[in-house]
Amino acid sequence: MELSCGLPPGPDFTELVVLAEELGYSRAWIHESAPVWEDPFVHLALAAGRTTRIGLGAAVLVPEQRSVMAMASGIATIARVSDGRFRACFGTGFSARLAIGRRPMPITALGEYVRALRGLLAGRTVTVDGRPVRMLHAADRAAARPLDVPLWLSVFGPRGAALAGEVADGVIGPVHPTLPTATIVSGTVLDPGEDRGSPRVREAIGPRRLGAWHGAYATHGAEAVDALPGGAAWRKALEALAPEGERHLLVFEGHDTELTERDRELLPYIDVDSMVAEASGIDAQLASLAASGFQEIVYTPSGPDVARELRAFAAAHRPAAR
């Protein structure tokens, strides 16, 4: 099993990837959400120039944020500057789409996009919006096609699994019957004797644990979020700040990285059990995930001291620490 990490684009991304390489992480995945974070391809290029071993990945890329040709060109660039260490994972876009007031894209459209992208990277002519297109990059302007870049999907359910089997090299999600599968986890390693409900723990994991409230409100509305602990008060605080047509701009504020004041009121209700333990407990939970069929665990630290979280988690995973 590979232990990787997932990090958002931002000013500290490259330094954290350098640290992750030193700590023995197999891969650093960068997130994408244009409304919330900086451009991932810029940060991947910077990190590629500062590292030599660690794999680089992007997850989850949202097709509708880039034309398929722009995506192909971006992938070709990172594949070249990283000396082949890059893989890309695509999804229908959840928070990134909801944050601009749009629903996630249909899974059929995801499949069409990835098929076209795979064709472009192979050097073929494909049809996009009714017109034939092909990567025209000259030999001295980009890596030669075909480009062997693994394309993964982040999908769920039978339709997602079936699509992945047709177009993907791997999956982030439930264990796939035929493809290598990664899963994303959040959590923190407790200091000896530290209480799992301590303020440090809640601050560290809080940004990654609030998705249930954000997603419930964004996808199902007031009734769904009100059914969650503290949800009604959180919703009322949010709705007091903006008219109905602009509230989607607030739901994912600080998503996965910072806590707004209204989010902070939810910290007493977040899960402080899963992947929150001293080192031996973390290692046992990682071993359980490996035994269930996952080939890669993507640890996504958050909170005020991400470097501390990366160090502690790597040390807790015994194979990575040896």
Side-chain angles (χ1 to χ4, degrees):
M1 184 196 73
E2 295 181 307
L3 179 63
S4 299
C5 60
L7 303 163
D12 57 352
F13 178 79
T14 295
E15 294 301 328
L16 290 173
V17 175
V18 170
L19 174 62
E21 182 172 70
E22 294 172 355
L23 293 171
Y25 284 89
S26 297
R27 184 170 293 101
W29 293 88
I30 195 168
H31 310 320
E32 178 176 54
S33 179
V36 178
W37 300 311
E38 294 180 333
D39 186 86
F41 284 95
V42 173
H43 288 287
L44 285 168
L46 292 170
R50 293 279 307 280
T51 57
T52 59
R53 179 202 58 80
I54 192 169
L56 299 172
V60 176
L61 293 169
V62 183
E64 292 191 352
Q65 291 186 164
R66 285 181 179 81
S67 73
V68 68
M69 182 59 77
M71 185 69 76
S73 184
I75 287 175
T77 304
I78 302 303
R80 179 182 62 79
V81 300
S82 69
D83 196 24
R85 290 181 281 143
F86 180 60
R87 72 174 52 160
C89 181
F90 297 87
T92 57
F94 184 69
S95 61
R97 294 282 294 160
L98 293 170
I100 58 172
R102 300 289 185 266
R103 308 296 289 183
M105 66 188 295
I107 196 167
T108 52
L110 173 64
E112 292 170 3
Y113 185 97
V114 174
R115 288 186 183 95
L117 175 63
R118 190 175 288 282
L120 291 173
L121 295 175
R124 299 195 300 268
T125 299
V126 302
T127 300
V128 176
D129 296 329
R131 303 291 292 177
V133 296
R134 184 174 64 247
M135 294 185 74
L136 305 177
H137 305 62
D140 62 345
R141 295 296 174 185
R145 275 73 64 200
L147 284 163
D148 185 20
V149 177
L151 303 181
W152 285 39
L153 292 186
S154 177
V155 286
F156 302 86
R159 292 179 66 205
L163 176 62
E166 295 173 11
V167 305
D169 300 303
V171 169
I172 296 179
V175 174
H176 195 275
T178 61
L179 295 173
T181 308
T183 187
I184 296 174
V185 303
S186 65
T188 187
V189 180
L190 298 176
D191 293 326
E194 184 179 20
D195 178 66
R196 67 179 63 233
S198 70
R200 186 203 70 79
V201 168
R202 294 184 186 277
E203 290 285 331
I205 67 175
R208 292 289 309 181
R209 297 284 165 104
L210 294 171
W213 287 266
H214 297 173
Y217 184 75
T219 57
H220 301 294
E223 185 175 350
V225 76
D226 286 2
L228 298 174
W234 176 88
R235 173 182 60 81
K236 291 173 182 177
L238 182 148
E239 291 179 349
L241 297 175
E244 183 175 357
E246 297 180 9
R247 289 169 185 164
H248 64 278
L249 302 175
L250 300 175
V251 177
F252 296 99
E253 242 182 349
H255 184 59
D256 284 351
T257 55
E258 282 83 34
L259 295 167
T260 64
E261 287 307 310
R262 61 185 174 276
D263 284 344
R264 197 173 295 281
E265 296 301 315
L266 294 174
L267 289 183
Y269 309 111
I270 62 173
D271 168 26
V272 294
D273 292 322
S274 58
M275 214 57 72
V276 178
E278 293 190 20
S280 61
I282 294 293
D283 189 58
Q285 292 182 62
L286 293 176
S288 178
L289 288 171
S292 67
F294 292 106
Q295 287 81 32
E296 182 176 357
I297 309 299
V298 183
Y299 171 54
T300 54
S302 60
D305 193 351
V306 171
R308 180 265 180 203
E309 306 300 332
L310 286 173
R311 291 189 181 96
F313 216 84
H317 179 50
R318 291 171 188 161
R322 282 198 288 264

